[in-house]
Each structure stands twice: as structure tokens, then as C-alpha cells.
């Protein structure tokens, strides 16, 4: 017998879909005590929320998130709304004793993130942030290989997240579809949107970052604002590059931009260790490139591991070896781990505190770029 876990989802956009899909499918592929029930979805437009609820199988609709948070029949609030709404919703949900899953970045900045951490820790409610790339099997395998010591001492961690969708200067900022270009809704540009993913993965794989030296650029300085109709200054960073030093002594080199013509979502990382190197690429997410210097010289070279075998992370729950899975499965894995954490009492990561540490790196990057100097990352 499975125990129902009533989900209240706020926002029905990109992430509202990705999460709803994960709740709907997780119990078909993972043996778990808990079963998510799509209880209610919240969005400001009743018609759109109703249409979404009908399509995805939600039982009810709310148009005000406060009402959703107050409902007695909701166990878990899932925050799938723009960044400037995360803190207020999460703090109210914690006070109401709800479990909380929050989209990334956790907050608009570190100070706001800390208030969210304090709220969930005070209320002792299970919480997690959707840094889903940790659960791409090839990325999880990277963690396994590092933890087994296969790379030895790590010298370099290099990550990029490249897109090209904001190059057109006529693209407006703000409003429903373009809140990412509006600093008031997003907090920052590519730093909080794209680098946040790279940093979460990096802290998980390679430990904390001590200091950073960053440069950001806003290539298009003014855009029409969808909410005011006026041409306004653009407050987000279009591109961000930083170098830094990890606590383990390895060197960090990171880049993210929405101005890399030809790249849509090219998230890559490469880690160079004393014995071995690893390279991963989101456009080819089921493959892990691995080079091991300890191989016999005549056959030494980069291996392309197709991460689809039954003993690869998560893959035993899916199809037969050789058949790959995709982007949406990383969310299914994250829900599965969260539910398993409820079952075992060993919470799935990243929780709010873990995501707050990423937020502190984001703050340090933005401060370094503003002040044109090295910045020490605060400890979380
Ligand atoms: N984990 C990931 O890889 C990933 C990918 C994309 C987005 N995100 C994050 O997810 C969040 C949402 O992004 P998205 O791409 O799904 O955005 P989106 O624009 O597709 O959807 C946002 C939704 O929030 C709703 N909304 C906005 N304000 C609201 C309010 N006050 N009350 C109720 N609903 C409200 C909108 O109507 C819409 O349904 C952001 O924090 C973003 O950074 C994470």
C-alpha cells in the first residue's frame, strides 16, 4: 500500500510541466512508499489553470497561492514560479507546516536565501531545490567515479552553459514569457539562471569554492519593458565569466551566456584529475567521456561511456541496457530520491541550505564583477 502525498503546484509553465510529469510517472518506475497525488495547481488565470489541471489530472485549481498554502489537504508545496516569488511563498509554506520543493535559484540573493533556510529549518519541514542536473545518470556517475578516487587529486574544473536566445535587441524584457530579462523578477541574468546550475553541480562534485574573480556584461543595454510599455535600462547580466579557487586547491573556470550564437543549452563540464579526466555535455546527456591515464598505453584514449546499463545510476529502473533516457527523467529521479528520503529519514539533497551555498557563490560572482576584484565566498 502506498501513502498518498498531496501536491500543490504553483505555476504551470516550463517547470510546472516538468514536475507534474515527474509526479505522474515516478511510481511506475520506482518502488516507493509514497505516491504523489496531483491535488491542486495554482496560477493567477483561472481559465489557464483549469485547462492545465484538466490536461495533467490535477483535482483542483487555486488562483491565489496563499489559498493553496492554507489548504489542509495539501502536504507539499512545489514552487515553479519566477525567482522573485520563491521566498515569500516558501516562508509562508514553511509556517503552514508544508513540505517544500522550490525551483532554482533558491532566492534573489543570499540574504533572502538565508531567510528561507531559517524558515524551513525552524519549521522542520522536508525541503529540496530542483537542481535537477545532479540526477542525469551520467552526472551521477561522475560523482561516483570521483568519490571512488578514480581521478585522484583534482586540478581543474571547467564548466560552461551557453545559449543564444536573447541576441535580438528588439526582444522586450519582463512580463509572462520574458521575466528572465527583467532584473526585478529574475534577480540576475545568466548568473542566477545558468551559472547556478553549473555551480550546484560543481560544489556537489568538487567541494566548496573559496574565492572568485568575475566579469559580467550586458550587451543590450536597453529594451522595451512589457509591463510598462517603455524602453528601460536592462538590469540583468547577459554573460558572466569567472575564475576561482576550490577549497581542494583546484582551479575553477566558468562561463555562461545567452549570446553564443548556435548554442541552445550547451551545458558542459570537464574535470581534470591526476589520474583521469571526465567530460560531460548536456546535448549528449547519456554519454560520459572518460580518460584514464592508468590504461595500458597502446589502448589509452578517451572512452565514450553510454550511460544506459543496468548498473549505471538510476538506469536499472528504466528500460533494457543500451536504451537511453532524457531530460525529463532527471526530474523523475529527483522526486524518487525525495520520496525515498521521506521513507528512510535521510533527506535528498540539495536542500535549501545546500542551495543557499550556491546562492553565496552567485552573490560573490556578482560582487566581484561590480567591484572588479577578487571576492571571498561567504560560508553557508
Ligand atoms: N531546474 C531547471 O532546470 C529549471 C529550468 C527552467 C526554469 N527553472 C526555474 O523555475 C522557475 C520557473 O521558471 P519557468 O521556466 O517554469 O517559468 P515559466 O515562465 O514557464 O512559468 C512560470 C509560471 O509561474 C506563474 N506565476 C508567476 N507568478 C505567479 C504568481 N504570483 N502566482 C501564481 N503563479 C505565478 C506563471 O503564470 C507561469 O505559469 C524559475 O525559478 C526558474 O529559474 C528551473
Amino acid at each position: 500500500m502506498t501513502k498518498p502525498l498531496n501536491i500543490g503546484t504553483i505555476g504551470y509553465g516550463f517547470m510546472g510541466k516538468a514536475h507534474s510529469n515527474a509526479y505522474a510517472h515516478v511510481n511506475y518506475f520506482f518502488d516507493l512508499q509514497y505516491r504523489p497525488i496531483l491535488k491542486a495547481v495554482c496560477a493567477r488565470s483561472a481559465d489557464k489553470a483549469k485547462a492545465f489541471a484538466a490536461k495533467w489530472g490535477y483535482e483542483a485549481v487555486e488562483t491565489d497561492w496563499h489559498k493553496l498554502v492554507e489548504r489542509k489537504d495539501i502536504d507539499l508545496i512545489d514552487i515553479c514560479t519566477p525567482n522573485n516569488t520563491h521566498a515569500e511563498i516558501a516562508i509562508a509554506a514553511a509556517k503552514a507546516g508544508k513540505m517544500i520543493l522550490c525551483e532554482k535559484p533558491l532566492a534573489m540573493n543570499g540574504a533572502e536565501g538565508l531567510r528561507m533556510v531559517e524558515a524551513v529549518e525552524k519549521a522542520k519541514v522536508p525541503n529540496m531545490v530542483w537542481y535537477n542536473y545532479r540526477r542525469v545518470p551520467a552526472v551521477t556517475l561522475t560523482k561516483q567515479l570521483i568519490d571512488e578516487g578514480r581521478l585522484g587529486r583534482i586540478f581543474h574544473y571547467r564548466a560552461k552553459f551557453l545559449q543564444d536566445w536573447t541576441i535580438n535587441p528588439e526582444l522586450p524584457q519582463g512580463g509572462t514569457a520574458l521575466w528572465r530579462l527583467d532584473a526585478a523578477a529574475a534577480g540576475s541574468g545568466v548568473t542566477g539562471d545558468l551559472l547556478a546550475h553549473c555551480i550546484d553541480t560543481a560544489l556537489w562534485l568538487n567541494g566548496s569554492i573559496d574565492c572568485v574573480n568575475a566579469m559580467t556584461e550586458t550587451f543590450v543595454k536597453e529594451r522595451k519593458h512589457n509591463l510598462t510599455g517603455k524602453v528601460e535600462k536592462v538590469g540583468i547580466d547577459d554573460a558572466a565569466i569567472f575564475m576561482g579557487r576550490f577549497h581542494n586547491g583546484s582551479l575553477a573556470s566558468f562561463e555562461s551566456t545567452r549570446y553564443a550564437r548556435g548554442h541552445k543549452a550547451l551545458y558542459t563540464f570537464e574535470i581534470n584529475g591526476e589520474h583521469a579526466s571526465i567530460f560531460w555535455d548536456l546535448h549528449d546527456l547519456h554519454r560520459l567521456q572518460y580518460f584514464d591515464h592508468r590504461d595500458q598505453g597502446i589502448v589509452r584514449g578517451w572512452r565514450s561511456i553510454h550511460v544506459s546499463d543496468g548498473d549505471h545510476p538510476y538506469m536499472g529502473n528504466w528500460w533494457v541496457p543500451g536504451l537511453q533516457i532524457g531530460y525529463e527523467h532527471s526530474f523523475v529521479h529527483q522526486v524518487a530520491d525525495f520520496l525515498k528520503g521521506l521513507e528512510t529519514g535521510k533527506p535528498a539533497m540539495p536542500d535549501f541550505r545546500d542551495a543557499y551555498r550556491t546562492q553565496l557563490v552567485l552573490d560573490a560572482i556578482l560582487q566581484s564583477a561590480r567591484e572588479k576584484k577578487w571576492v571571498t565566498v561567504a560560508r553557508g
Side-chain angles (χ1 to χ4, degrees), residues 12 20 38-43 45-62:
Y12 58 81
S20 301
L38 299 179
K39 201 71 184 173
V41 64
C42 171
S45 149
D47 287 348
K48 287 182 181 164
K50 276 183 197 154
F52 185 84
K55 191 172 195 176
W56 287 88
Y58 279 89
E59 293 174 18
V61 161
E62 293 289 351

Side-chain angles (χ1 to χ4, degrees), residues 292-341:
D292 198 323
H293 185 68
R294 291 160 300 192
D295 289 345
Q296 193 191 2
I298 54 165
V299 290
R300 191 186 294 141
W302 282 90
R303 303 176 206 174
S304 175
I305 306 169
H306 194 247
V307 185
S308 62
D309 224 326
D311 52 5
H312 284 137
Y314 302 106
M315 292 309 296
N317 292 79
W318 296 99
W319 316 113
V320 298
L323 301 189
Q324 65 209 41
I325 57 172
Y327 172 74
E328 68 274 28
H329 299 85
S330 62
F331 295 92
V332 180
H333 299 159
Q334 188 150 2
V335 175
D337 288 347
F338 178 79
L339 298 178
K340 198 44 120 182

Side-chain angles (χ1 to χ4, degrees), residues 12 14-15 44 83 86 103-104 130 132 179-180 197:
Y12 58 81
F14 179 15
M15 285 302 109
R44 290 158 303 178
N83 308 344
H86 294 183
E103 257 307 339
K104 52 59 59 181
W130 291 95
N132 57 300
W179 61 266
R180 278 181 177 77
H197 278 300

Side-chain angles (χ1 to χ4, degrees), residues 4-10 23 36-42 58-62 64-79 89 92-101 125:
L5 189 81
N6 290 339
I7 309 289
T9 301
I10 311 178
Y23 296 131
I37 306 293
L38 299 179
K39 201 71 184 173
V41 64
C42 171
Y58 279 89
E59 293 174 18
V61 161
E62 293 289 351
D64 177 353
W65 64 260
H66 297 89
K67 292 243 170 66
L68 186 77
V69 165
E70 284 158 18
R71 277 176 75 134
K72 296 277 177 283
D73 61 352
I74 295 291
D75 300 313
L76 184 152
I77 294 290
D78 187 0
I79 304 171
I89 299 174
K95 282 190 182 141
K98 309 296 187 195
M99 303 179 192
I100 309 167
L101 301 190
V125 290

Side-chain angles (χ1 to χ4, degrees), residues 322-378:
L323 301 189
Q324 65 209 41
I325 57 172
Y327 172 74
E328 68 274 28
H329 299 85
S330 62
F331 295 92
V332 180
H333 299 159
Q334 188 150 2
V335 175
D337 288 347
F338 178 79
L339 298 178
K340 198 44 120 182
L342 296 182
E343 215 173 291
T344 60
K346 195 168 173 286
M349 293 288 137
D351 62 6
F352 276 26
R353 183 162 287 280
D354 213 11
Y356 168 59
R357 296 187 185 109
T358 292
Q359 203 76 49
L360 292 175
V361 181
L362 302 178
D363 277 7
I365 292 165
L366 294 169
Q367 185 190 341
S368 166
R370 248 187 344 262
E371 299 177 3
K372 299 188 171 57
K373 63 172 197 196
W374 279 92
V375 170
T376 300
V377 178

